[in-house]
Amino acid sequence: MMAGTPIRNIPVAARDTPTSIYIAPSLTAALDALNDCGAAGSPLAGGTWIMRSPIRHEPLRPHYVAIGRIAELTAIRIGSDAVEIGAAVTHAALAAALADLPEFAGLAAAAGRSANPAIRAMATIGGNLAASDFAAADCVPALLCLDAEVEISGRDGCERISLAHFLEVRSTLASGRLLTRIIVARAERRTAHIRLPLRRSGDYPVAIVSLSVRVDAANRINVARIAVGSVESSARRWPRLEAALLGRPLDAAEAARIAAELSDEFTGRDSVDAPAWYRVSVLPGLVRRAAIAALGS
Amino acid sequence: MGFNLTVNGDRLSSAADPATPLVDVLREEMHLTGAKPVCREGFCGACMVLVDGEPMPSCLLPTALANGREIETVEGLAPHGQLNRIQAALEAGDAVQCGMCFPGMVVSLTHLLTTRPDATRDDIRAALTGNICRCTGYERIVEATLLALATR
Ligand code: FES
Ligand code: FES
């Protein structure tokens, strides 16, 4: 999202607010510390978003609780019923863990092609979902079209909510509460994740289309999930396109034609790297590519 | 509270603010100016160092999270002035222009050479997606890397 932003190089001396970073050895310790810090504290996972706060002209918080070394938050459980992803799992680790699971091809592509290799080894899935000002997060649309749920923990216990609901409440989450796990039910489906960066790779994408479909024996779509990222300020599903595809064969040209008819429901966001209209105008092409990728998966 | 880092084999300490990016500690306190803070966003790779053997943009690593870890900067990759394989290949291939990106390139490519001895041209390009060069067009860098891989 900050690609193309005028660079402001900020040396050590300009960072005048002393900041504490507590490296939590366990989830209990992290939740205690977050609770004690209240609104002055925040979790710190990979750091790739928070460390850029000065460039966004945002002050750092007085206190951070580093969660990247908590074993249960860095684990991925691949069960026969669900995949559970710890919030501090990195993009690189998630892409590697899902490499042999075709039903997660879309999520693996989202985690494995975002940003660049060094960032993927640092940036976490929890951070990607929790950074509410980051419109171009790859894993958000990829997980939205998998009907993902998230677990939010606090000292008093944990609750499970849909990712879509989490996106609505994430910026107002009570202090002391932490996104701890992402849960995706296993299902037979074809998935794809198509992103359009300005360069071939390395940049934030101008627009993202994630797709998950199930087809019946006659090759007709009976479940469709499509999510769009980076076009608006937060990723969201595209229910009208999903409904329009139901009962039809999975056909890339047809999907793109319908997407072109329905894409006026998006109001793109303007930024220095891409104007609003452009983000919306590329959606039919991305839908076509997503359908082709899903057909091949 | 201070931090202890092992930098190019030397045990060093820092009293920096915990959120200070490692690149600033390396440059301002340890006077290792190879890593450069250019974008401070994780895009350009000019600040790349190895942390416990893995390439990491040091502009995004708070010093508190570098505590106790092994850091290698470009200065540590040519011990006793002896260029390593990729440095020698880049020099032989006349790949360097202004040189601004090269400390980071060398760090990323040193890691590639040690971890992916069978890397292809595409693998090299993929490994360099986080290292931006404004001068060379990358082709000579890729050629030099293929040469370094071939002269194992
Ligand atoms: S300065 Fe760190 S990646 Fe550009
Ligand atoms: S040689 Fe000038 S930026 Fe790469």
Side-chain angles (χ1 to χ4, degrees):
Chain A
M1 192 167 64
M2 300 304 293
T5 305
I7 289 169
R8 210 167 64 103
N9 218 332
I10 300 157
V12 179
R15 295 169 186 270
D16 47 14
T17 320
T19 299
S20 79
I21 298 181
Y22 166 63
I23 300 177
S26 68
L27 181 55
T28 308
L31 294 173
D32 283 347
L34 285 168
N35 199 67
D36 294 348
C37 293
S42 173
L44 173 82
T48 53
W49 182 252
I50 287 169
M51 288 296 284
R52 286 181 289 163
S53 302
I55 285 199
R56 296 191 299 271
H57 310 288
E58 294 167 10
L60 287 169
R61 295 277 179 94
H63 306 292
Y64 286 100
V65 177
I67 59 168
R69 298 188 193 165
I70 300 172
E72 63 200 283
L73 298 189
T74 56
I76 303 170
R77 188 189 75 85
I78 298 177
S80 56
D81 55 336
V83 169
E84 299 179 3
I85 306 158
V89 167
T90 65
H91 286 60
L94 182 63
L98 300 179
D100 297 326
L101 299 174
E103 74 190 77
F104 290 109
L107 181 56
R113 295 204 200 121
S114 64
N116 60 57
I119 296 294
R120 291 196 291 272
M122 292 173 91
T124 66
I125 306 307
N128 206 241
L129 302 192
S132 52
D133 291 333
F134 182 28
D138 273 277
C139 290
V140 177
L143 285 162
L144 272 177
C145 72
L146 296 177
D147 293 318
E149 295 186 314
V150 297
E151 179 189 80
I152 312 294
S153 299
R155 268 218 298 219
D156 50 351
C158 63
E159 60 174 330
R160 214 195 249 208
I161 59 174
S162 71
L163 171 60
H165 181 45
F166 173 73
L167 297 180
E168 286 165 15
V169 301
R170 61 185 171 175
S171 59
T172 55
L173 214 57
S175 47
R177 307 198 61 73
L178 177 67
L179 168 61
T180 41
R181 261 191 320 164
I182 298 99
I183 304 107
V184 184
R186 309 258 338 234
E188 196 180 306
R189 57 193 159 210
R190 295 163 182 250
T191 64
H193 180 84
I194 302 293
R195 60 203 304 275
L196 180 69
L198 292 176
R199 295 190 305 145
R200 186 162 168 220
S201 54
D203 281 340
Y204 289 133
V206 167
I208 303 169
V209 168
S210 290
L211 172 148
S212 167
V213 292
R214 199 174 68 199
V215 293
D216 63 18
N219 196 35
R220 293 190 184 279
I221 297 170
N222 56 18
V223 177
R225 300 276 184 271
I226 296 162
V228 170
S230 200
V231 171
E232 298 181 336
S233 59
S234 180
R236 67 171 167 98
R237 294 254 304 269
W238 194 348
R240 285 169 68 210
L241 179 57
E242 293 172 0
L245 293 181
L246 286 179
R248 294 173 186 266
L250 178 55
D251 177 275
E254 183 68 351
R257 187 190 63 73
I258 301 168
E261 278 171 13
L262 300 177
S263 56
D264 60 351
E265 73 175 71
F266 288 92
T267 308
R269 65 190 170 94
D270 252 324
S271 70
V272 280
D273 47 331
W277 66 265
Y278 181 67
R279 294 181 194 276
V280 176
S281 71
V282 299
L283 286 175
L286 297 186
V287 168
R288 182 180 54 79
R289 286 172 54 194
I292 290 169
L295 279 164
S297 72
Chain B
M1 185 185 120
F3 302 109
N4 298 308
L5 319 174
T6 304
V7 183
N8 301 330
D10 295 332
R11 301 188 66 140
L12 303 171
S13 60
S14 166
D17 181 293
T20 305
L22 176 64
V23 66
D24 293 325
V25 171
L26 293 172
R27 292 175 60 86
E28 309 293 330
E29 293 186 25
M30 297 166 184
H31 307 297
L32 295 166
T33 54
K36 301 183 190 340
V38 175
C39 69
R40 291 188 184 271
E41 294 202 74
F43 280 121
C44 74
C47 66
M48 201 72 81
V49 299
L50 297 174
V51 178
D52 294 335
E54 296 298 320
M56 212 174 256
S58 56
C59 63
L60 297 182
L61 184 66
T63 299
L65 297 190
N67 188 36
R69 301 173 81 177
E70 299 259 353
I71 318 292
E72 269 181 287
T73 68
V74 70
E75 289 88 346
L77 298 181
H80 318 299
Q82 188 78 36
L83 298 184
N84 75 11
R85 241 182 338 142
I86 188 64
Q87 288 170 314
L90 289 166
E91 189 192 33
D94 197 15
V96 184
Q97 292 193 23
C98 84
M100 188 277 293
C101 66
F102 268 85
M105 288 280 176
V106 166
V107 168
S108 294
L109 291 172
T110 297
H111 178 260
L112 180 84
L113 254 60
T114 46
T115 54
R116 300 286 307 278
D118 55 349
T120 63
R121 180 177 285 272
D122 279 351
D123 295 333
I124 297 166
R125 298 188 78 90
L128 289 181
T129 48
N131 291 87
I132 291 179
C133 176
R134 285 296 189 218
C135 301
T136 66
Y138 302 96
E139 229 11 73
R140 286 191 183 191
I141 299 172
V142 175
E143 289 297 337
T145 309
L146 287 167
L147 176 71
L149 285 163
T151 55
R152 223 171 288 181

